[in-house]
Amino acid sequence: MSDAIRFDHVAYRTRGFAIEGLSLAVPTGSIYGFLGPNGAGKTTSIRLMLGLLPVGAGAITVLGRKVPAELPVALAATGYVPERPHLHPFLTVAESIDLHAAFHVRFDRRWAGELIREFRLAPDRPLARLSKGEMGKLLILQALCQQPELLVLDEPTDGLDPVVRRDVLSAVVDYVAERQATVFISSHLVHELERLCDWVGVMDQGRLVTEMPMEHFKNGIKRLRLRGPTERLAEAPFAVLSRSAKEPESAVWVVDRWEARMTEWIDARGVAIDRVEDLDLEEGFVERLRARREVARA
Amino acid sequence: MLSAMIRLHWKSSRAWVLAAIAAVVALPIVSVALAWPHDSADVASFLARLDAWSLFYPAVAGVLGAVMAGLTWRSDRRGDFVYALTLPIERWRYVWYRFLSGAMLIASVAAALWLAALLTVATTPRAAFLHAYPTALAAKFGLATLAVFSASFALVALPGRVRQVGARAILALIALQALVFLLGWQGNWLVPVLEALTDRFGPLGILGGRWMLIDV
């Protein structure tokens, strides 16, 4: 499978913030969730891939095109919904769509008309008077109707009410199902991505913490309730993200890279496993982030 | 794409363009009507009065050119240029379309002036030795507005930090010049700079000279 987006050892430095040696690969046709706390570097990474910021070192390709050398070709097949609205506020909804269509040769005006009705947008309303939800819908509409191979969504539902959020995300899901497009979606709303994404990358403090298929991300991380001399579990075949002991001989561990056969390895060391619990994406995200920060501090 | 950019530019600056059209349509009509001598022999005073009115042409050209340039980039700047920079065209091409769309709107104002000047000339009886220059006046107005627009367009397009540094440097030079003047020292650099800019062959030289619709 080729990569729709590829970062190779990308570095970018600005006052008070740096991205160092960022390498990531977004498989073509995937819905890639880009997670991270505020200030982790998600938006900066997106701006780098779209040529909005100059790359300090390393290389970026988008849809097989080098950025920034072949940027216009890459952008012709990329729909972008930024974190903050960026459209001309004095235009009306219809005028903004017309302007967008003028620059995108594959823009589907008929579908734009359908989405205007579906999203209940008033074509003659000036953008300056749109609510946050309406603006979010318009941004998605414009990005979808240009029929991109790649959709880059930067916090597309941040601050939207649940109804609008559902409308926006279902439009994206329908589009992906129909066109097999790639979606790169950045968000700190982890639950939202859990249902949507099949790949996940986690950023923190300008670095990629982890990147893997969503299934591995969720299944590989477990909470173990252990009883017995856990000190015998040194050199475990899994990564221990956190340990807590509420009473002697009883501990709760959160572990990564877990596989079912590892229960035997633990049993063999005289430690009983009371329970192996699944973690949802948010818990897994928080545990991985916490572990990474502890390692960084150490 | 260009027509879309012209529509965008029109939407952002139509109030100014319409005001400029109103001004340049009124200028030749009103100036000739008010300067027209009751005594047909008083041609010299007619030309002097018309000359006084002619100051308004470069003034309108200067204001319109500067305002149009400022409005060109205003909404792009408000969105941190994100929309413009994520359009699938080369950046130089986007800047060129922006410039061209502004120039087109300026041309429409110049055309309005030309029509108003033609109308004024056609309805004004004049002595045989007086000549009318509606086309020259409109062309000069268009070029003068374009010159100011071009210079302002380039300045406004500079990054904010560069503009700040430039503005501070100019203010520092003016302040230093004022200090030199107050202390009675030798040295004058502002006047030569202004002269070089507005000299006949300077970048804004077209704003100078005569702006007469009717002359000998």
Side-chain angles (χ1 to χ4, degrees):
Chain A
M1 188 186 276
S2 61
D3 296 321
I5 303 170
R6 197 172 176 85
F7 278 53
D8 287 310
H9 309 289
V10 169
Y12 170 78
R13 189 174 285 274
T14 184
R15 228 177 296 165
F17 180 74
I19 283 179
E20 300 285 359
L22 176 62
S23 294
L24 64 83
V26 178
T28 301
S30 65
I31 303 182
Y32 188 105
F34 200 42
L35 291 173
N38 291 329
K42 303 189 298 293
T43 296
T44 303
S45 304
I46 288 174
R47 289 178 155 236
L48 286 168
M49 84 171 72
L50 296 175
L52 295 170
L53 293 172
V55 176
I60 299 176
T61 56
V62 174
L63 299 170
R65 306 288 179 169
K66 286 180 191 154
V67 173
E70 300 170 283
L71 196 58
V73 186
L75 290 175
T78 303
Y80 173 48
V81 175
E83 187 179 15
R84 279 182 297 161
H86 61 317
L87 305 175
H88 300 286
F90 50 80
L91 295 179
T92 63
V93 168
E95 288 166 344
S96 180
I97 290 170
D98 283 345
L99 177 69
H100 203 67
F103 286 92
H104 294 91
V105 287
R106 293 196 300 176
F107 195 90
D108 187 339
R109 285 178 180 275
R110 193 184 50 80
W111 189 26
E114 286 171 17
L115 283 180
I116 283 180
R117 283 190 293 278
E118 197 176 311
F119 287 165
R120 292 177 296 281
L121 291 169
D124 54 352
R125 178 170 291 185
L127 302 196
R129 284 173 47 203
L130 292 187
S131 68
K132 196 167 185 179
E134 288 169 326
M135 180 58 88
K137 287 175 181 177
L138 176 63
L139 290 169
I140 281 285
L141 180 156
Q142 291 194 173
L144 289 177
C145 291
Q146 70 183 69
Q147 304 190 74
E149 293 169 40
L150 169 65
L151 263 174
V152 178
L153 313 174
D154 189 3
E155 307 276 6
T157 57
D158 196 21
L160 303 185
D161 67 58
V163 178
V164 177
R165 197 181 305 167
R166 194 193 54 202
D167 287 352
V168 165
L169 290 180
S170 67
V172 172
V173 168
D174 290 348
Y175 180 77
V176 170
E178 196 179 316
R179 312 284 170 99
Q180 282 81 49
T182 307
V183 179
F184 184 90
I185 177 166
S186 151
S187 180
H188 60 269
L189 302 172
V190 183
H191 284 305
E192 192 171 274
L193 299 188
E194 188 168 8
R195 286 175 286 127
L196 200 68
C197 300
D198 44 24
W199 270 77
V200 63
V202 178
M203 283 286 282
D204 188 36
Q205 295 168 339
R207 285 172 174 76
L208 190 70
V209 177
T210 186
E211 177 186 53
M212 60 180 76
M214 177 67 85
E215 201 180 302
H216 293 194
F217 191 92
K218 282 166 67 180
N219 293 343
I221 192 161
K222 300 286 179 191
R223 185 184 291 116
L224 307 180
R225 298 194 180 275
L226 303 168
R227 211 163 10 85
T230 52
E231 64 278 6
R232 292 183 192 166
L233 301 184
E235 296 172 23
F238 44 79
V240 182
L241 299 180
S242 71
R243 295 180 170 89
S244 60
K246 284 179 183 160
E247 37 190 92
E249 297 285 300
S250 170
V252 178
W253 285 14
V254 176
V255 302
D256 197 5
R257 298 199 296 273
W258 175 259
E259 291 173 32
R261 60 185 169 79
M262 290 171 184
T263 52
E264 293 163 21
W265 186 88
I266 293 176
D267 283 343
R269 276 150 189 82
V271 177
I273 303 178
D274 283 345
R275 212 161 56 222
V276 179
E277 296 169 358
D278 291 330
L279 271 66
D280 63 19
L281 182 64
E282 182 161 341
E283 287 173 309
F285 164 69
V286 169
E287 292 294 347
R288 281 191 169 97
L289 220 56
R290 189 183 292 156
R292 190 218 162 246
R293 287 181 177 177
E294 276 170 17
V295 169
R297 260 200 301 275
Chain B
M1 286 182 215
L2 180 59
S3 60
M5 292 297 273
I6 293 171
R7 282 198 297 274
L8 179 67
H9 214 131
W10 164 250
K11 196 79 199 276
S12 69
S13 58
R14 60 185 170 181
W16 286 92
V17 172
L18 290 174
I21 286 175
V24 298
V25 165
L27 256 178
I29 297 169
V30 172
S31 64
V32 170
L34 292 181
W36 193 248
H38 298 292
D39 175 3
S40 61
D42 192 12
V43 172
S45 65
F46 163 67
L47 292 178
R49 285 195 294 271
L50 203 58
D51 193 28
W53 275 95
S54 72
L55 289 174
F56 287 103
Y57 292 107
V60 173
V63 171
L64 179 64
V67 166
M68 290 294 280
L71 292 175
T72 301
W73 296 115
R74 193 170 68 163
S75 64
D76 280 326
R77 198 176 288 287
R78 198 163 13 189
D80 289 336
F81 292 91
V82 169
Y83 187 72
L85 295 176
T86 50
L87 289 174
I89 57 169
E90 292 87 355
R91 288 172 186 180
W92 68 264
R93 198 184 294 272
Y94 183 82
V95 174
W96 176 234
Y97 284 159
R98 275 297 204 183
F99 182 83
L100 270 184
S101 60
M104 296 283 197
L105 293 178
I106 287 169
S108 71
V109 180
L113 171 59
W114 183 60
L115 291 174
L118 281 178
L119 180 73
T120 307
V121 168
T123 54
T124 307
R126 59 181 188 276
F129 59 90
L130 287 179
H131 298 281
Y133 302 98
T135 306
L137 181 70
K140 183 168 178 160
F141 177 84
L143 287 173
T145 313
L146 200 61
V148 177
F149 174 69
S150 306
S152 310
F153 182 89
L155 289 174
V156 178
L158 289 172
R161 205 176 300 166
V162 176
R163 280 187 299 144
Q164 273 180 9
V165 169
R168 281 180 194 158
I170 291 168
L171 285 175
L173 279 174
I174 293 171
L176 200 62
Q177 179 71 81
L179 189 68
V180 165
F181 177 74
L182 287 173
L183 293 174
W185 292 347
Q186 291 290 314
N188 188 344
W189 51 82
L190 282 187
V191 171
V193 167
L194 288 174
E195 279 175 356
L197 284 173
T198 55
D199 179 58
R200 191 174 171 193
F201 298 107
L204 302 177
I206 196 165
L207 289 168
R210 287 174 75 77
W211 290 76
M212 297 291 277
L213 175 59
I214 295 172
D215 210 343
V216 287

PDB file of all heavy atoms in Angstrom, chain B residues 41-67:
ATOM      1  N   ALA B  41     -14.442  86.265 -23.033  1.00  0.00           N
ATOM      2  CA  ALA B  41     -13.083  86.705 -23.311  1.00  0.00           C
ATOM      3  C   ALA B  41     -12.120  86.352 -22.176  1.00  0.00           C
ATOM      4  O   ALA B  41     -10.899  86.376 -22.347  1.00  0.00           O
ATOM      5  CB  ALA B  41     -13.060  88.207 -23.546  1.00  0.00           C
ATOM      6  N   ASP B  42     -12.686  86.001 -21.029  1.00  0.00           N
ATOM      7  CA  ASP B  42     -11.840  85.774 -19.852  1.00  0.00           C
ATOM      8  C   ASP B  42     -11.311  84.339 -19.823  1.00  0.00           C
ATOM      9  O   ASP B  42     -11.562  83.576 -18.879  1.00  0.00           O
ATOM     10  CB  ASP B  42     -12.657  86.098 -18.598  1.00  0.00           C
ATOM     11  CG  ASP B  42     -11.774  86.176 -17.373  1.00  0.00           C
ATOM     12  OD1 ASP B  42     -10.537  86.201 -17.548  1.00  0.00           O
ATOM     13  OD2 ASP B  42     -12.331  86.204 -16.261  1.00  0.00           O
ATOM     14  N   VAL B  43     -10.570  83.984 -20.835  1.00  0.00           N
ATOM     15  CA  VAL B  43     -10.066  82.612 -20.967  1.00  0.00           C
ATOM     16  C   VAL B  43      -8.976  82.322 -19.928  1.00  0.00           C
ATOM     17  O   VAL B  43      -8.913  81.229 -19.355  1.00  0.00           O
ATOM     18  CB  VAL B  43      -9.537  82.393 -22.402  1.00  0.00           C
ATOM     19  CG1 VAL B  43      -8.834  81.056 -22.516  1.00  0.00           C
ATOM     20  CG2 VAL B  43     -10.677  82.464 -23.376  1.00  0.00           C
ATOM     21  N   ALA B  44      -8.154  83.334 -19.659  1.00  0.00           N
ATOM     22  CA  ALA B  44      -7.027  83.123 -18.732  1.00  0.00           C
ATOM     23  C   ALA B  44      -7.542  82.743 -17.349  1.00  0.00           C
ATOM     24  O   ALA B  44      -7.031  81.810 -16.716  1.00  0.00           O
ATOM     25  CB  ALA B  44      -6.167  84.376 -18.656  1.00  0.00           C
ATOM     26  N   SER B  45      -8.556  83.459 -16.892  1.00  0.00           N
ATOM     27  CA  SER B  45      -9.061  83.127 -15.546  1.00  0.00           C
ATOM     28  C   SER B  45      -9.795  81.779 -15.557  1.00  0.00           C
ATOM     29  O   SER B  45      -9.788  81.044 -14.581  1.00  0.00           O
ATOM     30  CB  SER B  45      -9.959  84.228 -15.005  1.00  0.00           C
ATOM     31  OG  SER B  45     -11.115  84.324 -15.803  1.00  0.00           O
ATOM     32  N   PHE B  46     -10.426  81.470 -16.701  1.00  0.00           N
ATOM     33  CA  PHE B  46     -11.071  80.135 -16.823  1.00  0.00           C
ATOM     34  C   PHE B  46     -10.028  79.020 -16.649  1.00  0.00           C
ATOM     35  O   PHE B  46     -10.225  78.072 -15.874  1.00  0.00           O
ATOM     36  CB  PHE B  46     -11.752  80.025 -18.195  1.00  0.00           C
ATOM     37  CG  PHE B  46     -12.091  78.620 -18.595  1.00  0.00           C
ATOM     38  CD1 PHE B  46     -13.055  77.893 -17.907  1.00  0.00           C
ATOM     39  CD2 PHE B  46     -11.433  78.001 -19.656  1.00  0.00           C
ATOM     40  CE1 PHE B  46     -13.363  76.591 -18.277  1.00  0.00           C
ATOM     41  CE2 PHE B  46     -11.733  76.699 -20.025  1.00  0.00           C
ATOM     42  CZ  PHE B  46     -12.708  75.995 -19.334  1.00  0.00           C
ATOM     43  N   LEU B  47      -8.896  79.180 -17.352  1.00  0.00           N
ATOM     44  CA  LEU B  47      -7.841  78.155 -17.261  1.00  0.00           C
ATOM     45  C   LEU B  47      -7.242  78.102 -15.851  1.00  0.00           C
ATOM     46  O   LEU B  47      -6.933  77.022 -15.348  1.00  0.00           O
ATOM     47  CB  LEU B  47      -6.748  78.432 -18.300  1.00  0.00           C
ATOM     48  CG  LEU B  47      -7.176  78.237 -19.768  1.00  0.00           C
ATOM     49  CD1 LEU B  47      -6.035  78.573 -20.716  1.00  0.00           C
ATOM     50  CD2 LEU B  47      -7.635  76.800 -20.007  1.00  0.00           C
ATOM     51  N   ALA B  48      -7.128  79.271 -15.232  1.00  0.00           N
ATOM     52  CA  ALA B  48      -6.579  79.294 -13.869  1.00  0.00           C
ATOM     53  C   ALA B  48      -7.524  78.573 -12.902  1.00  0.00           C
ATOM     54  O   ALA B  48      -7.087  77.795 -12.038  1.00  0.00           O
ATOM     55  CB  ALA B  48      -6.366  80.738 -13.422  1.00  0.00           C
ATOM     56  N   ARG B  49      -8.822  78.810 -13.060  1.00  0.00           N
ATOM     57  CA  ARG B  49      -9.793  78.146 -12.171  1.00  0.00           C
ATOM     58  C   ARG B  49      -9.821  76.629 -12.439  1.00  0.00           C
ATOM     59  O   ARG B  49      -9.870  75.823 -11.526  1.00  0.00           O
ATOM     60  CB  ARG B  49     -11.184  78.750 -12.352  1.00  0.00           C
ATOM     61  CG  ARG B  49     -11.348  80.115 -11.705  1.00  0.00           C
ATOM     62  CD  ARG B  49     -12.815  80.501 -11.582  1.00  0.00           C
ATOM     63  NE  ARG B  49     -13.443  80.706 -12.884  1.00  0.00           N
ATOM     64  CZ  ARG B  49     -13.464  81.877 -13.525  1.00  0.00           C
ATOM     65  NH1 ARG B  49     -12.922  82.938 -12.985  1.00  0.00           N
ATOM     66  NH2 ARG B  49     -14.058  81.993 -14.684  1.00  0.00           N
ATOM     67  N   LEU B  50      -9.745  76.293 -13.710  1.00  0.00           N
ATOM     68  CA  LEU B  50      -9.747  74.869 -14.064  1.00  0.00           C
ATOM     69  C   LEU B  50      -8.482  74.169 -13.524  1.00  0.00           C
ATOM     70  O   LEU B  50      -8.524  73.026 -13.062  1.00  0.00           O
ATOM     71  CB  LEU B  50      -9.799  74.725 -15.591  1.00  0.00           C
ATOM     72  CG  LEU B  50     -10.344  73.407 -16.132  1.00  0.00           C
ATOM     73  CD1 LEU B  50     -11.752  73.147 -15.636  1.00  0.00           C
ATOM     74  CD2 LEU B  50     -10.332  73.403 -17.664  1.00  0.00           C
ATOM     75  N   ASP B  51      -7.372  74.921 -13.557  1.00  0.00           N
ATOM     76  CA  ASP B  51      -6.109  74.393 -13.045  1.00  0.00           C
ATOM     77  C   ASP B  51      -6.210  74.109 -11.540  1.00  0.00           C
ATOM     78  O   ASP B  51      -5.678  73.124 -11.030  1.00  0.00           O
ATOM     79  CB  ASP B  51      -4.990  75.388 -13.335  1.00  0.00           C
ATOM     80  CG  ASP B  51      -3.622  74.764 -13.107  1.00  0.00           C
ATOM     81  OD1 ASP B  51      -3.507  73.527 -13.254  1.00  0.00           O
ATOM     82  OD2 ASP B  51      -2.674  75.501 -12.776  1.00  0.00           O
ATOM     83  N   ALA B  52      -6.913  75.000 -10.847  1.00  0.00           N
ATOM     84  CA  ALA B  52      -7.089  74.794  -9.396  1.00  0.00           C
ATOM     85  C   ALA B  52      -7.876  73.502  -9.138  1.00  0.00           C
ATOM     86  O   ALA B  52      -7.560  72.724  -8.234  1.00  0.00           O
ATOM     87  CB  ALA B  52      -7.807  75.992  -8.784  1.00  0.00           C
ATOM     88  N   TRP B  53      -8.898  73.299  -9.940  1.00  0.00           N
ATOM     89  CA  TRP B  53      -9.698  72.074  -9.800  1.00  0.00           C
ATOM     90  C   TRP B  53      -8.880  70.811 -10.143  1.00  0.00           C
ATOM     91  O   TRP B  53      -9.154  69.728  -9.630  1.00  0.00           O
ATOM     92  CB  TRP B  53     -10.903  72.132 -10.729  1.00  0.00           C
ATOM     93  CG  TRP B  53     -12.080  72.852 -10.138  1.00  0.00           C
ATOM     94  CD1 TRP B  53     -12.403  74.165 -10.321  1.00  0.00           C
ATOM     95  CD2 TRP B  53     -13.067  72.313  -9.275  1.00  0.00           C
ATOM     96  NE1 TRP B  53     -13.524  74.480  -9.629  1.00  0.00           N
ATOM     97  CE2 TRP B  53     -13.971  73.354  -8.965  1.00  0.00           C
ATOM     98  CE3 TRP B  53     -13.286  71.057  -8.703  1.00  0.00           C
ATOM     99  CZ2 TRP B  53     -15.068  73.186  -8.132  1.00  0.00           C
ATOM    100  CZ3 TRP B  53     -14.387  70.884  -7.874  1.00  0.00           C
ATOM    101  CH2 TRP B  53     -15.256  71.940  -7.600  1.00  0.00           C
ATOM    102  N   SER B  54      -7.901  70.972 -11.009  1.00  0.00           N
ATOM    103  CA  SER B  54      -7.176  69.791 -11.509  1.00  0.00           C
ATOM    104  C   SER B  54      -6.372  69.083 -10.416  1.00  0.00           C
ATOM    105  O   SER B  54      -5.942  67.948 -10.595  1.00  0.00           O
ATOM    106  CB  SER B  54      -6.244  70.193 -12.659  1.00  0.00           C
ATOM    107  OG  SER B  54      -5.147  70.920 -12.162  1.00  0.00           O
ATOM    108  N   LEU B  55      -6.175  69.765  -9.290  1.00  0.00           N
ATOM    109  CA  LEU B  55      -5.465  69.105  -8.180  1.00  0.00           C
ATOM    110  C   LEU B  55      -6.220  67.870  -7.674  1.00  0.00           C
ATOM    111  O   LEU B  55      -5.631  66.955  -7.106  1.00  0.00           O
ATOM    112  CB  LEU B  55      -5.292  70.088  -7.010  1.00  0.00           C
ATOM    113  CG  LEU B  55      -4.288  71.223  -7.218  1.00  0.00           C
ATOM    114  CD1 LEU B  55      -4.341  72.172  -6.051  1.00  0.00           C
ATOM    115  CD2 LEU B  55      -2.882  70.646  -7.384  1.00  0.00           C
ATOM    116  N   PHE B  56      -7.521  67.897  -7.878  1.00  0.00           N
ATOM    117  CA  PHE B  56      -8.323  66.780  -7.350  1.00  0.00           C
ATOM    118  C   PHE B  56      -8.073  65.461  -8.103  1.00  0.00           C
ATOM    119  O   PHE B  56      -8.258  64.401  -7.540  1.00  0.00           O
ATOM    120  CB  PHE B  56      -9.821  67.127  -7.404  1.00  0.00           C
ATOM    121  CG  PHE B  56     -10.217  68.144  -6.370  1.00  0.00           C
ATOM    122  CD1 PHE B  56     -10.443  69.457  -6.712  1.00  0.00           C
ATOM    123  CD2 PHE B  56     -10.345  67.773  -5.031  1.00  0.00           C
ATOM    124  CE1 PHE B  56     -10.796  70.399  -5.762  1.00  0.00           C
ATOM    125  CE2 PHE B  56     -10.702  68.709  -4.072  1.00  0.00           C
ATOM    126  CZ  PHE B  56     -10.926  70.023  -4.443  1.00  0.00           C
ATOM    127  N   TYR B  57      -7.669  65.551  -9.364  1.00  0.00           N
ATOM    128  CA  TYR B  57      -7.457  64.309 -10.126  1.00  0.00           C
ATOM    129  C   TYR B  57      -6.337  63.450  -9.512  1.00  0.00           C
ATOM    130  O   TYR B  57      -6.565  62.278  -9.208  1.00  0.00           O
ATOM    131  CB  TYR B  57      -7.154  64.613 -11.599  1.00  0.00           C
ATOM    132  CG  TYR B  57      -8.320  65.197 -12.361  1.00  0.00           C
ATOM    133  CD1 TYR B  57      -8.345  66.528 -12.719  1.00  0.00           C
ATOM    134  CD2 TYR B  57      -9.397  64.402 -12.719  1.00  0.00           C
ATOM    135  CE1 TYR B  57      -9.417  67.077 -13.411  1.00  0.00           C
ATOM    136  CE2 TYR B  57     -10.474  64.927 -13.426  1.00  0.00           C
ATOM    137  CZ  TYR B  57     -10.481  66.274 -13.759  1.00  0.00           C
ATOM    138  OH  TYR B  57     -11.555  66.807 -14.447  1.00  0.00           O
ATOM    139  N   PRO B  58      -5.122  64.020  -9.315  1.00  0.00           N
ATOM    140  CA  PRO B  58      -4.082  63.187  -8.691  1.00  0.00           C
ATOM    141  C   PRO B  58      -4.427  62.783  -7.258  1.00  0.00           C
ATOM    142  O   PRO B  58      -4.027  61.708  -6.798  1.00  0.00           O
ATOM    143  CB  PRO B  58      -2.829  64.064  -8.740  1.00  0.00           C
ATOM    144  CG  PRO B  58      -3.311  65.447  -8.951  1.00  0.00           C
ATOM    145  CD  PRO B  58      -4.598  65.346  -9.694  1.00  0.00           C
ATOM    146  N   ALA B  59      -5.200  63.665  -6.573  1.00  0.00           N
ATOM    147  CA  ALA B  59      -5.590  63.312  -5.192  1.00  0.00           C
ATOM    148  C   ALA B  59      -6.477  62.067  -5.199  1.00  0.00           C
ATOM    149  O   ALA B  59      -6.248  61.120  -4.431  1.00  0.00           O
ATOM    150  CB  ALA B  59      -6.307  64.487  -4.543  1.00  0.00           C
ATOM    151  N   VAL B  60      -7.481  62.071  -6.085  1.00  0.00           N
ATOM    152  CA  VAL B  60      -8.371  60.898  -6.174  1.00  0.00           C
ATOM    153  C   VAL B  60      -7.567  59.671  -6.622  1.00  0.00           C
ATOM    154  O   VAL B  60      -7.725  58.573  -6.085  1.00  0.00           O
ATOM    155  CB  VAL B  60      -9.541  61.172  -7.148  1.00  0.00           C
ATOM    156  CG1 VAL B  60     -10.364  59.904  -7.372  1.00  0.00           C
ATOM    157  CG2 VAL B  60     -10.437  62.274  -6.604  1.00  0.00           C
ATOM    158  N   ALA B  61      -6.663  59.881  -7.580  1.00  0.00           N
ATOM    159  CA  ALA B  61      -5.849  58.760  -8.079  1.00  0.00           C
ATOM    160  C   ALA B  61      -5.002  58.162  -6.949  1.00  0.00           C
ATOM    161  O   ALA B  61      -4.916  56.935  -6.798  1.00  0.00           O
ATOM    162  CB  ALA B  61      -4.953  59.231  -9.223  1.00  0.00           C
ATOM    163  N   GLY B  62      -4.385  59.047  -6.160  1.00  0.00           N
ATOM    164  CA  GLY B  62      -3.523  58.581  -5.066  1.00  0.00           C
ATOM    165  C   GLY B  62      -4.306  57.804  -4.017  1.00  0.00           C
ATOM    166  O   GLY B  62      -3.920  56.694  -3.612  1.00  0.00           O
ATOM    167  N   VAL B  63      -5.447  58.390  -3.605  1.00  0.00           N
ATOM    168  CA  VAL B  63      -6.266  57.734  -2.569  1.00  0.00           C
ATOM    169  C   VAL B  63      -6.798  56.398  -3.091  1.00  0.00           C
ATOM    170  O   VAL B  63      -6.712  55.356  -2.416  1.00  0.00           O
ATOM    171  CB  VAL B  63      -7.423  58.654  -2.121  1.00  0.00           C
ATOM    172  CG1 VAL B  63      -8.394  57.906  -1.232  1.00  0.00           C
ATOM    173  CG2 VAL B  63      -6.869  59.873  -1.398  1.00  0.00           C
ATOM    174  N   LEU B  64      -7.325  56.420  -4.313  1.00  0.00           N
ATOM    175  CA  LEU B  64      -7.916  55.192  -4.868  1.00  0.00           C
ATOM    176  C   LEU B  64      -6.858  54.090  -5.003  1.00  0.00           C
ATOM    177  O   LEU B  64      -7.099  52.940  -4.617  1.00  0.00           O
ATOM    178  CB  LEU B  64      -8.557  55.493  -6.227  1.00  0.00           C
ATOM    179  CG  LEU B  64      -9.190  54.303  -6.929  1.00  0.00           C
ATOM    180  CD1 LEU B  64     -10.368  53.757  -6.131  1.00  0.00           C
ATOM    181  CD2 LEU B  64      -9.658  54.676  -8.343  1.00  0.00           C
ATOM    182  N   GLY B  65      -5.691  54.447  -5.527  1.00  0.00           N
ATOM    183  CA  GLY B  65      -4.620  53.448  -5.704  1.00  0.00           C
ATOM    184  C   GLY B  65      -4.209  52.834  -4.376  1.00  0.00           C
ATOM    185  O   GLY B  65      -4.075  51.605  -4.253  1.00  0.00           O
ATOM    186  N   ALA B  66      -4.024  53.694  -3.365  1.00  0.00           N
ATOM    187  CA  ALA B  66      -3.580  53.189  -2.060  1.00  0.00           C
ATOM    188  C   ALA B  66      -4.664  52.332  -1.405  1.00  0.00           C
ATOM    189  O   ALA B  66      -4.381  51.262  -0.856  1.00  0.00           O
ATOM    190  CB  ALA B  66      -3.214  54.365  -1.164  1.00  0.00           C
ATOM    191  N   VAL B  67      -5.916  52.804  -1.481  1.00  0.00           N
ATOM    192  CA  VAL B  67      -7.019  52.064  -0.854  1.00  0.00           C
ATOM    193  C   VAL B  67      -7.222  50.709  -1.534  1.00  0.00           C
ATOM    194  O   VAL B  67      -7.397  49.676  -0.872  1.00  0.00           O
ATOM    195  CB  VAL B  67      -8.318  52.904  -0.878  1.00  0.00           C
ATOM    196  CG1 VAL B  67      -9.523  52.043  -0.544  1.00  0.00           C
ATOM    197  CG2 VAL B  67      -8.213  54.046   0.117  1.00  0.00           C
TER     198      VAL B  67
END
